[in-house]
Every structure is written in structure tokens, then in C-alpha cells.
Short mmCIF file of all heavy atoms in Angstrom, two decimals:
data_model
loop_
_atom_site.label_atom_id
_atom_site.label_comp_id
_atom_site.label_asym_id
_atom_site.label_seq_id
_atom_site.Cartn_x
_atom_site.Cartn_y
_atom_site.Cartn_z
N GLU B 1 -0.33 -9.35 4.24
CA GLU B 1 -0.02 -8.03 3.70
C GLU B 1 1.37 -8.01 3.05
O GLU B 1 1.56 -7.38 2.01
CB GLU B 1 -0.11 -6.98 4.81
CG GLU B 1 -1.53 -6.73 5.31
CD GLU B 1 -1.57 -5.76 6.48
OE1 GLU B 1 -0.47 -5.35 6.94
OE2 GLU B 1 -2.68 -5.41 6.92
N SER B 2 2.32 -8.71 3.67
CA SER B 2 3.67 -8.77 3.11
C SER B 2 3.66 -9.49 1.76
O SER B 2 4.33 -9.06 0.80
CB SER B 2 4.62 -9.49 4.07
OG SER B 2 4.78 -8.75 5.27
N ARG B 3 2.92 -10.58 1.68
CA ARG B 3 2.84 -11.32 0.42
C ARG B 3 2.19 -10.48 -0.67
O ARG B 3 2.65 -10.46 -1.81
CB ARG B 3 2.03 -12.61 0.63
CG ARG B 3 2.80 -13.69 1.39
CD ARG B 3 1.93 -14.91 1.61
NE ARG B 3 2.68 -15.99 2.25
CZ ARG B 3 2.12 -17.12 2.68
NH1 ARG B 3 0.81 -17.32 2.51
NH2 ARG B 3 2.87 -18.04 3.24
N GLU B 4 1.13 -9.78 -0.31
CA GLU B 4 0.45 -8.93 -1.28
C GLU B 4 1.38 -7.82 -1.77
O GLU B 4 1.38 -7.47 -2.95
CB GLU B 4 -0.82 -8.34 -0.66
CG GLU B 4 -1.92 -9.37 -0.43
CD GLU B 4 -3.14 -8.76 0.23
OE1 GLU B 4 -3.03 -7.60 0.69
OE2 GLU B 4 -4.19 -9.44 0.28
N LYS B 5 2.17 -7.30 -0.84
CA LYS B 5 3.12 -6.25 -1.20
C LYS B 5 4.16 -6.78 -2.17
O LYS B 5 4.49 -6.15 -3.18
CB LYS B 5 3.79 -5.70 0.06
CG LYS B 5 4.76 -4.56 -0.20
CD LYS B 5 5.35 -4.05 1.10
CE LYS B 5 6.32 -2.91 0.85
NZ LYS B 5 6.90 -2.39 2.12
N LEU B 6 4.68 -7.98 -1.88
CA LEU B 6 5.67 -8.59 -2.77
C LEU B 6 5.08 -8.89 -4.14
O LEU B 6 5.74 -8.71 -5.16
CB LEU B 6 6.21 -9.87 -2.14
CG LEU B 6 7.15 -9.69 -0.93
CD1 LEU B 6 7.48 -11.04 -0.31
CD2 LEU B 6 8.43 -8.97 -1.34
N HIS B 7 3.82 -9.34 -4.15
CA HIS B 7 3.17 -9.63 -5.42
C HIS B 7 2.99 -8.36 -6.25
O HIS B 7 3.18 -8.37 -7.48
CB HIS B 7 1.81 -10.29 -5.18
CG HIS B 7 1.92 -11.68 -4.67
ND1 HIS B 7 0.82 -12.42 -4.25
CD2 HIS B 7 3.00 -12.49 -4.49
CE1 HIS B 7 1.22 -13.61 -3.84
NE2 HIS B 7 2.54 -13.68 -3.99
N ARG B 8 2.63 -7.26 -5.60
CA ARG B 8 2.48 -6.00 -6.32
C ARG B 8 3.81 -5.54 -6.90
O ARG B 8 3.87 -5.04 -8.03
CB ARG B 8 1.90 -4.93 -5.38
CG ARG B 8 0.43 -5.12 -5.05
CD ARG B 8 -0.16 -3.86 -4.44
NE ARG B 8 0.49 -3.51 -3.17
CZ ARG B 8 0.08 -3.96 -1.98
NH1 ARG B 8 -0.97 -4.78 -1.90
NH2 ARG B 8 0.70 -3.60 -0.88
N ILE B 9 4.86 -5.72 -6.13
CA ILE B 9 6.20 -5.35 -6.63
C ILE B 9 6.57 -6.22 -7.82
O ILE B 9 7.06 -5.73 -8.84
CB ILE B 9 7.25 -5.50 -5.50
CG1 ILE B 9 6.99 -4.46 -4.41
CG2 ILE B 9 8.66 -5.34 -6.07
CD1 ILE B 9 7.88 -4.63 -3.19
N ALA B 10 6.34 -7.53 -7.70
CA ALA B 10 6.68 -8.46 -8.78
C ALA B 10 5.89 -8.16 -10.05
O ALA B 10 6.42 -8.23 -11.16
CB ALA B 10 6.43 -9.90 -8.33
N ASP B 11 4.62 -7.80 -9.88
CA ASP B 11 3.78 -7.50 -11.03
C ASP B 11 4.21 -6.22 -11.74
O ASP B 11 3.92 -6.03 -12.92
CB ASP B 11 2.31 -7.38 -10.60
CG ASP B 11 1.71 -8.72 -10.20
OD1 ASP B 11 2.25 -9.75 -10.64
OD2 ASP B 11 0.71 -8.73 -9.46
N ALA B 12 4.90 -5.35 -11.01
CA ALA B 12 5.35 -4.09 -11.60
C ALA B 12 6.67 -4.24 -12.36
O ALA B 12 7.05 -3.34 -13.11
CB ALA B 12 5.51 -3.03 -10.51
N ILE B 13 7.35 -5.36 -12.17
CA ILE B 13 8.63 -5.59 -12.85
C ILE B 13 8.38 -6.07 -14.27
O ILE B 13 7.59 -6.98 -14.50
CB ILE B 13 9.46 -6.64 -12.07
CG1 ILE B 13 9.82 -6.10 -10.68
CG2 ILE B 13 10.73 -7.00 -12.85
CD1 ILE B 13 10.53 -7.12 -9.81
N PRO B 14 9.04 -5.44 -15.28
CA PRO B 14 8.88 -5.90 -16.67
C PRO B 14 9.27 -7.37 -16.81
O PRO B 14 10.26 -7.82 -16.22
CB PRO B 14 9.85 -4.99 -17.45
CG PRO B 14 10.01 -3.79 -16.58
CD PRO B 14 9.94 -4.28 -15.17
N GLY B 15 8.50 -8.12 -17.58
CA GLY B 15 8.76 -9.55 -17.71
C GLY B 15 7.94 -10.32 -16.68
O GLY B 15 6.90 -9.85 -16.22
N ALA B 16 8.42 -11.49 -16.36
CA ALA B 16 7.70 -12.35 -15.41
C ALA B 16 8.64 -12.85 -14.31
O ALA B 16 9.66 -13.47 -14.60
CB ALA B 16 7.08 -13.54 -16.14
N VAL B 17 8.29 -12.55 -13.08
CA VAL B 17 9.02 -13.08 -11.93
C VAL B 17 8.41 -14.45 -11.62
O VAL B 17 7.19 -14.63 -11.65
CB VAL B 17 8.88 -12.15 -10.71
CG1 VAL B 17 9.59 -12.74 -9.49
CG2 VAL B 17 9.46 -10.77 -11.04
N TYR B 18 9.26 -15.43 -11.34
CA TYR B 18 8.73 -16.78 -11.14
C TYR B 18 9.50 -17.58 -10.10
O TYR B 18 10.64 -17.24 -9.73
CB TYR B 18 8.74 -17.56 -12.47
CG TYR B 18 10.14 -17.87 -12.97
CD1 TYR B 18 10.80 -19.04 -12.58
CD2 TYR B 18 10.80 -17.01 -13.83
CE1 TYR B 18 12.08 -19.33 -13.04
CE2 TYR B 18 12.07 -17.29 -14.30
CZ TYR B 18 12.70 -18.45 -13.90
OH TYR B 18 13.98 -18.73 -14.34
N GLN B 19 8.86 -18.65 -9.66
CA GLN B 19 9.51 -19.67 -8.83
C GLN B 19 9.20 -21.00 -9.49
O GLN B 19 8.04 -21.40 -9.62
CB GLN B 19 8.97 -19.63 -7.40
CG GLN B 19 9.76 -20.50 -6.44
CD GLN B 19 9.32 -20.33 -5.00
OE1 GLN B 19 8.17 -20.66 -4.66
NE2 GLN B 19 10.19 -19.82 -4.14
N TYR B 20 10.27 -21.66 -9.92
CA TYR B 20 10.13 -22.89 -10.70
C TYR B 20 10.65 -24.07 -9.90
O TYR B 20 11.70 -23.98 -9.25
CB TYR B 20 10.93 -22.74 -12.01
CG TYR B 20 11.20 -24.02 -12.76
CD1 TYR B 20 10.21 -24.63 -13.52
CD2 TYR B 20 12.47 -24.60 -12.71
CE1 TYR B 20 10.49 -25.80 -14.23
CE2 TYR B 20 12.74 -25.77 -13.42
CZ TYR B 20 11.75 -26.36 -14.16
OH TYR B 20 12.02 -27.52 -14.86
N MET B 21 9.92 -25.19 -9.97
CA MET B 21 10.29 -26.38 -9.21
C MET B 21 10.54 -27.56 -10.13
O MET B 21 9.78 -27.81 -11.07
CB MET B 21 9.16 -26.74 -8.23
CG MET B 21 9.48 -27.95 -7.34
SD MET B 21 7.99 -28.81 -6.76
CE MET B 21 7.56 -29.78 -8.21
N LEU B 22 11.62 -28.27 -9.86
CA LEU B 22 11.92 -29.52 -10.56
C LEU B 22 12.00 -30.63 -9.53
O LEU B 22 12.85 -30.62 -8.64
CB LEU B 22 13.25 -29.41 -11.31
CG LEU B 22 13.71 -30.66 -12.08
CD1 LEU B 22 12.73 -30.99 -13.20
CD2 LEU B 22 15.11 -30.45 -12.64
N GLY B 23 11.07 -31.60 -9.64
CA GLY B 23 11.00 -32.68 -8.67
C GLY B 23 12.00 -33.79 -8.94
O GLY B 23 12.61 -33.86 -10.02
N PRO B 24 12.19 -34.70 -8.00
CA PRO B 24 13.15 -35.80 -8.15
C PRO B 24 12.83 -36.75 -9.30
O PRO B 24 13.72 -37.40 -9.84
CB PRO B 24 13.09 -36.51 -6.80
CG PRO B 24 11.75 -36.15 -6.23
CD PRO B 24 11.48 -34.76 -6.71
N SER B 25 11.58 -36.82 -9.68
CA SER B 25 11.19 -37.71 -10.78
C SER B 25 11.06 -36.97 -12.11
O SER B 25 10.59 -37.54 -13.10
CB SER B 25 9.85 -38.39 -10.45
OG SER B 25 9.96 -39.15 -9.26
N GLY B 26 11.47 -35.70 -12.11
CA GLY B 26 11.42 -34.93 -13.34
C GLY B 26 10.18 -34.07 -13.49
O GLY B 26 10.08 -33.31 -14.45
N GLU B 27 9.25 -34.16 -12.53
CA GLU B 27 8.06 -33.32 -12.63
C GLU B 27 8.46 -31.85 -12.42
O GLU B 27 9.35 -31.55 -11.63
CB GLU B 27 7.00 -33.74 -11.61
CG GLU B 27 7.36 -33.53 -10.14
CD GLU B 27 8.13 -34.70 -9.54
OE1 GLU B 27 8.70 -35.50 -10.32
OE2 GLU B 27 8.16 -34.80 -8.30
N GLN B 28 7.81 -30.98 -13.15
CA GLN B 28 8.14 -29.57 -13.07
C GLN B 28 6.89 -28.70 -13.11
O GLN B 28 5.91 -29.04 -13.76
CB GLN B 28 9.09 -29.18 -14.20
CG GLN B 28 8.61 -29.61 -15.58
CD GLN B 28 9.66 -29.41 -16.65
OE1 GLN B 28 10.50 -28.54 -16.54
NE2 GLN B 28 9.60 -30.21 -17.70
N ARG B 29 6.98 -27.59 -12.42
CA ARG B 29 5.86 -26.66 -12.43
C ARG B 29 6.30 -25.33 -11.83
O ARG B 29 7.35 -25.24 -11.17
CB ARG B 29 4.66 -27.21 -11.65
CG ARG B 29 4.89 -27.44 -10.17
CD ARG B 29 3.73 -28.21 -9.57
NE ARG B 29 3.88 -28.48 -8.16
CZ ARG B 29 3.38 -27.74 -7.18
NH1 ARG B 29 2.67 -26.65 -7.48
NH2 ARG B 29 3.55 -28.06 -5.91
N PHE B 30 5.49 -24.32 -12.08
CA PHE B 30 5.72 -23.02 -11.48
C PHE B 30 4.99 -22.96 -10.14
O PHE B 30 3.79 -23.22 -10.07
CB PHE B 30 5.21 -21.90 -12.38
CG PHE B 30 6.08 -21.63 -13.58
CD1 PHE B 30 5.60 -21.81 -14.86
CD2 PHE B 30 7.38 -21.18 -13.40
CE1 PHE B 30 6.40 -21.56 -15.96
CE2 PHE B 30 8.19 -20.92 -14.50
CZ PHE B 30 7.71 -21.11 -15.78
N LEU B 31 5.72 -22.61 -9.10
CA LEU B 31 5.09 -22.41 -7.80
C LEU B 31 4.54 -20.99 -7.69
O LEU B 31 3.61 -20.74 -6.92
CB LEU B 31 6.11 -22.65 -6.68
CG LEU B 31 6.75 -24.04 -6.65
CD1 LEU B 31 7.76 -24.12 -5.51
CD2 LEU B 31 5.69 -25.13 -6.50
N TYR B 32 5.13 -20.10 -8.46
CA TYR B 32 4.65 -18.71 -8.49
C TYR B 32 4.99 -18.09 -9.84
O TYR B 32 6.04 -18.36 -10.43
CB TYR B 32 5.30 -17.88 -7.37
CG TYR B 32 5.01 -16.40 -7.50
CD1 TYR B 32 3.76 -15.90 -7.14
CD2 TYR B 32 5.95 -15.53 -8.05
CE1 TYR B 32 3.46 -14.56 -7.31
CE2 TYR B 32 5.65 -14.17 -8.21
CZ TYR B 32 4.42 -13.71 -7.84
OH TYR B 32 4.11 -12.38 -8.00
N LEU B 33 4.12 -17.24 -10.32
CA LEU B 33 4.33 -16.48 -11.56
C LEU B 33 3.66 -15.12 -11.42
O LEU B 33 2.50 -15.04 -10.98
CB LEU B 33 3.73 -17.21 -12.76
CG LEU B 33 4.64 -18.07 -13.63
CD1 LEU B 33 3.82 -18.79 -14.68
CD2 LEU B 33 5.72 -17.23 -14.30
N SER B 34 4.38 -14.08 -11.78
CA SER B 34 3.76 -12.75 -11.75
C SER B 34 2.88 -12.56 -12.98
O SER B 34 2.94 -13.33 -13.94
CB SER B 34 4.84 -11.67 -11.69
OG SER B 34 5.62 -11.68 -12.88
N ARG B 35 2.08 -11.51 -12.95
CA ARG B 35 1.12 -11.28 -14.04
C ARG B 35 1.80 -10.98 -15.37
O ARG B 35 1.17 -11.08 -16.43
CB ARG B 35 0.19 -10.13 -13.66
CG ARG B 35 -0.73 -10.45 -12.48
CD ARG B 35 -1.57 -9.26 -12.12
NE ARG B 35 -2.44 -9.53 -10.98
CZ ARG B 35 -3.23 -8.61 -10.41
NH1 ARG B 35 -3.25 -7.38 -10.89
NH2 ARG B 35 -3.96 -8.94 -9.38
N GLY B 36 3.07 -10.61 -15.33
CA GLY B 36 3.78 -10.27 -16.56
C GLY B 36 3.86 -11.41 -17.55
O GLY B 36 4.12 -11.20 -18.74
N VAL B 37 3.64 -12.65 -17.08
CA VAL B 37 3.71 -13.80 -17.98
C VAL B 37 2.65 -13.72 -19.07
O VAL B 37 2.84 -14.25 -20.18
CB VAL B 37 3.57 -15.13 -17.19
CG1 VAL B 37 2.15 -15.30 -16.67
CG2 VAL B 37 3.96 -16.31 -18.06
N GLN B 38 1.55 -13.04 -18.78
CA GLN B 38 0.49 -12.94 -19.78
C GLN B 38 0.95 -12.11 -20.97
O GLN B 38 0.62 -12.42 -22.13
CB GLN B 38 -0.78 -12.33 -19.18
CG GLN B 38 -1.96 -12.33 -20.13
CD GLN B 38 -3.29 -12.30 -19.43
OE1 GLN B 38 -3.36 -12.24 -18.20
NE2 GLN B 38 -4.37 -12.35 -20.19
N GLU B 39 1.73 -11.07 -20.72
CA GLU B 39 2.24 -10.26 -21.82
C GLU B 39 3.30 -11.02 -22.61
O GLU B 39 3.42 -10.86 -23.82
CB GLU B 39 2.84 -8.96 -21.28
CG GLU B 39 3.31 -8.01 -22.36
CD GLU B 39 3.80 -6.68 -21.80
OE1 GLU B 39 3.60 -6.45 -20.59
OE2 GLU B 39 4.38 -5.90 -22.56
N LEU B 40 4.06 -11.88 -21.92
CA LEU B 40 5.11 -12.65 -22.60
C LEU B 40 4.53 -13.79 -23.42
O LEU B 40 4.93 -14.00 -24.57
CB LEU B 40 6.08 -13.22 -21.57
CG LEU B 40 6.98 -12.25 -20.79
CD1 LEU B 40 7.86 -13.02 -19.82
CD2 LEU B 40 7.82 -11.42 -21.73
N LEU B 41 3.62 -14.55 -22.83
CA LEU B 41 3.16 -15.79 -23.45
C LEU B 41 1.67 -15.81 -23.80
O LEU B 41 1.19 -16.81 -24.35
CB LEU B 41 3.45 -16.97 -22.51
CG LEU B 41 4.91 -17.14 -22.08
CD1 LEU B 41 5.04 -18.31 -21.11
CD2 LEU B 41 5.82 -17.36 -23.29
#
């Protein structure tokens, strides 16, 4: 329930809330992205 609540809050924020990871070998990816990324990209 807490995660869902946080996701709803993040989705309501203009833009995109994210968690980005950069690995030791240079690999990169988003661990989390709010729905706002669809409007941006």
C-alpha cells in the first residue's frame, strides 16, 4: 500500500520521477520511472 501510494504521488508530479542505476561496468538502466515519462518521451 505504501509503494502504491508513493507511485500515485510520483505519477501526479509534472515530468518524470525516476531512479537511475549505473553499474561498475558501465551498464545503466532505470530502476523506476513514473508515468510522466510517456508525456516527455
Side-chain angles (χ1 to χ4, degrees):
E1 291 176 356
S2 295
R3 286 178 176 173
E4 290 178 349
K5 182 178 180 180
L6 289 174
H7 289 173
R8 287 195 298 270
I9 293 174
D11 289 338
I13 296 175
V17 177
Y18 67 89
Q19 190 173 64
Y20 164 78
M21 182 205 79
L22 179 64
S25 301
E27 66 273 20
Q28 51 189 331
R29 64 190 179 96
F30 285 117
L31 301 178
Y32 171 76
L33 263 175
S34 64
R35 294 177 181 176
V37 70
Q38 186 156 2
E39 184 175 351
L40 292 180
L41 304 178

